[in-house]
Amino acid sequence: MRIIAKRLPPDQLISLLLTMFEALGDPEKNCSRAATVMINCLLQERGGVLQEKVPEIVSVLRSKLQEAQGEHILPAAQHSVYLLATQHCAAVVSSLLGSPLPLDSHTCMLWRALAVEPRLAAQVLGLLLEKMSKDVPFKESRAFLLGRTPDRVATLLPLSATCALFEVMSTPAAGPAVLELYPQLFVVLLLRVSCTVGVQLPRNLQAQERRGASPALATRNLEPCSSAVDTLRSMLLRSGSEDVVQRMDLEGGWELLRTSAGHEEGATRLARAMAEHAGPRLPLVLKTLACTHSSAYENQRVTTTAFLAELLNSNVANDLMLLDSLLESLAARQKDTCASVRRLVLRGLANLASGCPDKVRTHGPQLLTAMIGGLDDGDNPHSPVALEAMLGLARLVHLVESWDLRSGLLHVAIRIRPFFDSEKMEFRTASIRLFGHLNKVCHGDCEDVFLDQVVGGLAPLLLHLQDPQATVASACRFALRMCGPNLACEELSAAFQKHLQEGRALHFGEFLNTTCKHLMHHFPDLLGRLLTTCLFYFKSSWENVRAAAPLFTGEHHPLPRPHAARQPRLMPPLHRVPGAALGAQAAAAGGPGPAHCGAPDPAEGPGPRGADEGC
């Protein structure tokens, strides 16, 4: 047979092969087996001249597999495809990628035949990664062009390549090739997952999914994001990262990765699992991820930034000497056009406080500059970047050098003051708690300019003890306890420590009476400013805070008793007349307070909602 194969003219070779393919379905088993031997001999000896015929040969093999019933047919066809791939790998991969989706069981077996030899498997995996990255992952539907809800539809080539990767890596023999290409496979598949969240199947495939697959078709989920997640999971299993997979299984990380709402958290949990169970793999993974900050797809930038940010939450960044490269990667994303990316950058920088707290001092100026810049991010009054900056500063201020913090302390205090009265509970909580942390780091070393901010914040903090949200009230307790020592009044500080401990019931009226007595006794010159600030809360949108405002002003200026009205007394300055008695009833109902209100101290920032309206 080898002599025939070597001497057969090229124009007769393909004719003989096609004839042998027809014989595969011969009911006489001996004839069928003889045909398989001849096919494999011809391919082994003369396959090198058949490159142009590869698509035709692969197509015939697939059709014969569906027709033939003999048990020996499938192994013979697999060996034929393997022999072709050793000589024309790219052509075989391209031909198999043209198979219709979802893949039938015979096509799956042909893909697996390409993994039996490590060198060929590595070549096939590399070609599939190239195919996956070559085409756009989705296209916008016509509905988007018409201005309606945008629909993203998956493109076929990357979808087919994803399914093929799963089949190749499902073969145990592919293990060495997967290990060799670990960083490339991990990064490409993670990017594939990120850019297919919410992406739909093409309509023709959606119809097939609804009708249900036939028994001959593979039962894998063809939905774009789910198929990418399954392939990433398969890759980690085949490469020996079973602990990463198990951790993600237990935490529900795979399910989170598939959804728009949970994807960011899913990427975070994946990074946490990788840091804990696959640390030695991370240096090469990060090197491969380095160029993704310039990806054209916003989802990919969000996913990779979430992944990098979480790595800084682990000491693996320091142990593997990855800290500088991680900080550099995050710094490159600080000016990203996507707010979610900028927010995650700040989260990652703040994570240094948990992962490498001893390195915060070294990088203190860079960290503080980024956080303070985040406070001024965009024009959105409820910017998620500003919220992340406040949360991050609260974690970092205790670890940076005091002189690094001092230069930005006043700016931070002034910038966060308007958030005390934000409509969003998260902003009120974060800003007030950060104010407490700023006071804590200044204990015993509070400059006059910052002390001015402390005094300006007393009235809002006292009134927000009555905030309808428990987390805000708790933040106020913490902030006031931290403010006490900076006021240099032991009695007032002791009152804050006594009444405002977490978990202790607060009798607000009694506490306010005690606090006001100490304020009037020790800070008589500041009462006018405190009361002027308090007047703006007469129109607060929160009922309990609105009701507390006249109570606060009344404690500072109690109404005179009837018999005392006949005694001569000096009229206090206008700015110290709160009008509590005149405005209390209207304030409790949400109406205007006194007839005239002065403007708040500019250093305090704007007052609560409605403060800029006429009183």
Side-chain angles (χ1 to χ4, degrees):
M1 187 62 206
R2 288 188 176 181
I3 297 176
I4 296 175
K6 290 179 179 180
R7 296 182 178 276
L8 195 67
D11 58 335
Q12 297 179 19
L13 178 61
I14 188 63
S15 299
L16 180 57
L17 272 174
L18 294 176
T19 302
M20 292 300 101
F21 286 142
E22 289 295 329
L24 286 175
D26 195 299
E28 178 57 47
K29 291 185 178 180
N30 289 334
C31 292
S32 179
R33 288 192 178 97
T36 60
V37 172
M38 292 182 68
I39 290 171
N40 290 334
C41 185
L42 288 171
L43 291 176
Q44 189 169 1
E45 295 294 333
R46 300 290 298 278
V49 300
L50 295 173
Q51 182 171 357
E52 295 181 359
K53 299 297 182 179
V54 167
E56 183 180 357
I57 294 172
V58 171
S59 177
V60 171
L61 277 174
R62 288 186 60 254
S63 63
K64 289 304 174 184
L65 280 173
Q66 295 172 4
E67 299 170 3
Q69 301 296 323
E71 295 179 358
H72 64 286
I73 304 297
L74 179 58
Q78 287 182 296
H79 190 60
S80 297
V81 169
Y82 165 75
L83 289 175
L84 269 179
T86 58
Q87 301 167 82
H88 309 292
C89 187
V92 171
V93 167
S94 296
S95 299
L96 285 175
L97 283 175
S99 305
L101 295 175
L103 298 178
D104 58 50
S105 59
H106 297 119
T107 305
C108 292
M109 295 305 294
L110 293 181
W111 277 116
R112 294 172 191 174
L114 302 183
V116 296
E117 195 271 318
R119 185 180 301 177
L120 176 61
Q123 192 176 356
V124 171
L125 291 176
L127 287 168
L128 289 174
L129 290 178
E130 182 182 335
K131 298 288 186 182
M132 188 182 299
S133 306
K134 185 176 181 180
D135 198 4
V136 294
F138 58 81
K139 292 183 178 178
E140 302 286 1
S141 70
R142 186 174 301 176
F144 173 69
L145 298 177
L146 296 176
R148 296 196 292 271
T149 304
D151 289 329
R152 291 177 171 177
V153 180
T155 49
L156 283 178
L157 182 58
L159 183 59
S160 296
T162 305
C163 296
L165 273 173
F166 181 89
E167 299 303 332
V168 174
M169 292 190 296
S170 67
T171 306
V178 174
L179 278 174
E180 179 184 341
L181 296 173
Y182 190 106
Q184 296 94 320
L185 285 166
F186 182 86
V187 170
V188 170
L189 287 171
L190 180 61
L191 295 177
R192 173 68 183 171
V193 170
S194 67
C195 66
T196 54
V197 176
V199 173
Q200 303 175 4
L201 282 171
R203 288 187 178 180
N204 61 320
L205 294 179
Q206 289 182 37
Q208 292 184 38
E209 290 270 298
R210 286 192 294 268
R211 288 196 300 268
S214 69
L217 297 179
T219 58
R220 284 189 59 241
N221 191 344
L222 197 57
E223 191 271 324
C225 188
S226 291
S227 67
V229 169
D230 292 343
T231 305
L232 176 59
R233 186 178 183 276
S234 175
M235 171 259 160
L236 290 169
L237 285 173
R238 185 59 60 211
S239 62
S241 298
E242 294 91 347
D243 290 339
V244 175
V245 174
Q246 185 177 8
R247 177 75 176 270
M248 288 287 284
D249 287 340
L250 291 174
E251 294 186 352
W254 301 121
E255 293 306 315
L256 288 171
L257 277 174
R258 301 173 202 265
T259 65
S260 298
H263 180 79
E264 184 182 303
E265 176 61 24
T268 299
R269 295 186 186 186
L270 177 60
R272 193 180 305 145
M274 289 288 290
E276 184 173 347
H277 300 293
R281 301 284 180 195
L282 288 174
L284 291 178
V285 168
L286 293 185
K287 187 176 180 180
T288 310
L289 271 174
C291 62
T292 59
H293 71 272
S294 59
S295 170
Y297 299 102
E298 184 177 289
N299 283 357
Q300 291 185 345
R301 303 199 306 275
V302 170
T303 301
T304 55
T305 307
F307 186 87
L308 296 173
E310 184 58 26
L311 292 180
L312 281 169
N313 207 21
S314 167
N315 58 9
V316 72
N318 194 38
D319 294 344
L320 297 176
M321 295 182 290
L322 300 175
L323 182 58
D324 289 339
S325 62
L326 281 170
L327 291 176
E328 183 179 343
S329 293
L330 290 177
R333 303 162 190 251
Q334 280 185 261
K335 302 299 182 181
D336 196 280
T337 56
C338 174
S340 293
V341 173
R342 300 195 301 275
R343 171 177 56 80
L344 288 166
V345 167
L346 297 184
R347 179 178 300 177
L349 296 177
N351 280 343
L352 202 62
S354 303
C356 308
D358 56 317
K359 299 296 183 181
V360 172
R361 286 179 180 268
T362 304
H363 300 278
Q366 175 190 354
L367 300 177
L368 290 175
T369 299
M371 296 296 162
I372 293 173
L375 291 175
D376 300 317
D377 184 86
D379 299 323
N380 182 1
H382 298 122
S383 167
V385 181
L387 176 61
E388 197 68 51
M390 290 188 286
L391 294 172
L393 279 168
R395 299 170 64 187
L396 293 169
V397 290
H398 302 286
L399 299 173
V400 297
E401 293 285 2
S402 58
W403 56 76
D404 289 334
L405 179 62
R406 193 178 304 276
S407 61
L409 188 64
L410 180 62
H411 176 79
V412 173
I414 293 174
R415 185 63 184 84
I416 67 175
R417 173 61 186 85
F419 292 121
F420 286 13
D421 302 298
S422 170
E423 295 177 358
K424 292 186 176 292
M425 176 268 293
E426 297 86 354
F427 285 79
R428 300 201 302 279
T429 303
S431 60
I432 291 172
R433 194 162 288 278
L434 173 56
F435 191 71
H437 284 290
L438 295 177
N439 274 274
K440 185 176 181 179
V441 298
C442 288
H443 284 178
D445 188 24
C446 185
E447 296 183 353
D448 291 342
V449 288
F450 183 71
L451 180 60
D452 193 54
Q453 295 303 310
V454 176
V455 173
L458 283 179
L461 294 178
L462 289 167
L463 294 176
H464 275 290
L465 286 170
Q466 296 295 90
D467 196 281
Q469 297 294 333
T471 56
V472 179
S474 174
C476 288
R477 287 180 179 233
F478 168 74
L480 286 167
R481 293 200 311 271
M482 297 302 104
C483 287
N486 289 330
L487 294 172
C489 174
E490 292 185 4
E491 294 87 346
L492 188 59
S493 182
F496 287 168
Q497 297 298 327
K498 175 183 177 182
H499 291 277
L500 300 178
Q501 290 299 323
E502 288 298 329
R504 173 172 178 165
L506 177 66
H507 189 289
F508 184 69
E510 177 186 342
F511 167 71
L512 195 61
N513 181 51
T514 302
T515 300
C516 290
K517 285 181 179 179
H518 291 308
L519 287 173
M520 286 189 290
H521 179 70
H522 294 282
F523 305 101
D525 295 336
L526 297 176
L527 294 183
R529 179 177 170 185
L530 290 173
L531 294 172
T532 300
T533 302
C534 185
L535 292 179
F536 286 87
Y537 288 86
F538 276 56
K539 298 183 69 175
S540 171
S541 58
W542 300 291
E543 182 178 354
N544 289 346
V545 175
R546 191 169 65 241
L551 180 62
F552 183 55
T553 56
E555 292 290 352
H556 281 93
H557 284 274
L559 292 176
R561 297 178 181 177
H563 70 275
R566 296 189 297 270
Q567 300 297 323
R569 59 182 295 175
L570 296 175
M571 178 67 69
L574 180 60
H575 73 276
R576 293 179 58 182
V577 179
L582 296 175
Q585 183 175 0
H596 173 75
C597 292
D601 192 313
E604 298 171 14
R609 190 177 67 179
D612 57 342
E613 302 171 4
C615 296

